[in-house]
Amino acid sequence: MQSTVWADDLALEFKRGAVYGPLSFEVGDGLTVLCGPSGSGRTSLMLTLAGRMKPTSGSLTVLGQELPRRARRVQKRTGISGFHDIDNLEDSVTVGAAIREREAWVSPWWAFIRAVDDTEVRRVCAAVFGDVPMPAADAVIWDLDEVQTVLLRAALALMNEPSILFFDQVEQVHSAESRRILWQRLAALVEGGTCVIASATAPDTELWSELGIEPTVILMNKENR
């Protein structure tokens, strides 16, 4: 079976030095977690795998497509969520407005985008939220708790039905209970057929064991650079 992601000696370097790599690894279907401390290049590697950033050396294939040559094809089949300054939500808008804006982005230019009601919120968010309370369409983003906020961002990223969801920085939810819920929901997405590649500062081994989750772990550190 073909790997979802295949990387060989993948690296990214700038004038000031290496950002990540060289790294060689394979990722199949399921939940994969890239683990590394701040400065290890996790976010840049995630964006590279999602076809949003070009590596400087090495070979990379994602969903059978060679990167960066087939970047547009990979971008259409992947979703990104949790990335600082990329998919942030504006605090002052409503949940319905955020969903409507995303719907306009993923729809053909000629499509008429209707106002979003609670039924539409449930349609968009149900698979991601599971048992977590879903916000109403008229709820303002700043009134959501941290779990609802990150799950909404993930739901928006999944609106174009990508084959892979890239979720950056699981530690952006701060409490242990929030992390527990987030790992549960990411695992549920995998069970539903979406490959998930997440990043975290370190393996959450004890929590994964409690939840019965066995992700593939790729360790990164500054010494790799």
Side-chain angles (χ1 to χ4, degrees), residues 166-182:
F166 291 90
F167 189 96
D168 198 27
Q169 300 184 27
V170 168
E171 64 275 4
Q172 67 185 275
V173 294
H174 300 99
S175 72
E177 181 58 25
S178 293
R179 285 202 335 276
R180 174 187 296 274
I181 294 170
L182 181 53

Side-chain angles (χ1 to χ4, degrees), residues 140-182:
V140 179
I141 300 296
W142 64 44
D143 288 330
L144 306 186
D145 64 33
E146 64 176 4
V147 171
Q148 290 174 315
T149 301
V150 296
L151 292 182
L152 177 59
R153 290 167 72 177
L156 295 174
L158 290 171
M159 286 180 66
N160 64 327
E161 300 182 347
S163 299
I164 306 175
L165 173 67
F166 291 90
F167 189 96
D168 198 27
Q169 300 184 27
V170 168
E171 64 275 4
Q172 67 185 275
V173 294
H174 300 99
S175 72
E177 181 58 25
S178 293
R179 285 202 335 276
R180 174 187 296 274
I181 294 170
L182 181 53

Side-chain angles (χ1 to χ4, degrees), residues 3-22:
S3 299
T4 302
V5 175
W6 178 85
D8 182 43
D9 285 337
L10 191 68
L12 176 63
E13 296 184 359
F14 290 148
K15 291 182 179 179
R16 294 183 177 181
V19 178
Y20 63 74

Side-chain angles (χ1 to χ4, degrees), residues 7-207:
D8 182 43
D9 285 337
L10 191 68
L12 176 63
E13 296 184 359
F14 290 148
K15 291 182 179 179
R16 294 183 177 181
V19 178
Y20 63 74
L23 295 166
S24 298
F25 56 88
E26 284 187 75
V27 171
D29 295 335
L31 175 61
T32 299
V33 185
L34 306 179
C35 293
S38 177
S40 61
R42 291 178 302 152
T43 297
S44 294
L45 176 58
M46 294 272 281
L47 291 173
T48 301
L49 301 182
R52 273 75 168 178
M53 184 175 287
K54 291 183 179 180
T56 51
S57 62
S59 301
L60 176 62
T61 301
V62 176
L63 296 170
Q65 304 295 326
E66 180 186 344
L67 287 175
R69 190 164 65 91
R70 301 292 188 182
R72 291 293 295 274
R73 294 185 183 183
V74 172
Q75 289 169 14
K76 290 179 179 179
R77 296 182 61 192
T78 57
I80 59 174
S81 180
F83 289 79
H84 182 63
D85 288 338
I86 295 181
D87 72 309
N88 300 72
L89 298 174
E90 187 177 339
D91 287 344
S92 60
V93 305
T94 64
V95 170
I99 291 175
R100 189 180 188 189
E101 180 180 4
R102 177 63 176 162
E103 184 68 33
W105 182 260
V106 301
S107 299
W109 65 266
W110 42 261
F112 176 74
I113 309 302
R114 299 180 180 277
V116 173
D117 57 16
D118 290 347
T119 299
E120 180 66 4
V121 172
R122 287 192 293 272
R123 185 191 71 80
V124 170
C125 296
V128 179
F129 276 66
D131 293 335
V132 177
M134 275 178 282
D138 61 359
V140 179
I141 300 296
W142 64 44
D143 288 330
L144 306 186
D145 64 33
E146 64 176 4
V147 171
Q148 290 174 315
T149 301
V150 296
L151 292 182
L152 177 59
R153 290 167 72 177
L156 295 174
L158 290 171
M159 286 180 66
N160 64 327
E161 300 182 347
S163 299
I164 306 175
L165 173 67
F166 291 90
F167 189 96
D168 198 27
Q169 300 184 27
V170 168
E171 64 275 4
Q172 67 185 275
V173 294
H174 300 99
S175 72
E177 181 58 25
S178 293
R179 285 202 335 276
R180 174 187 296 274
I181 294 170
L182 181 53
W183 283 124
Q184 284 178 321
R185 297 318 307 154
L186 293 177
L189 291 176
V190 171
E191 292 177 1
T194 300
C195 176
V196 175
I197 300 178
S199 77
T201 55
D204 224 339
T205 309
E206 184 175 341
L207 187 51

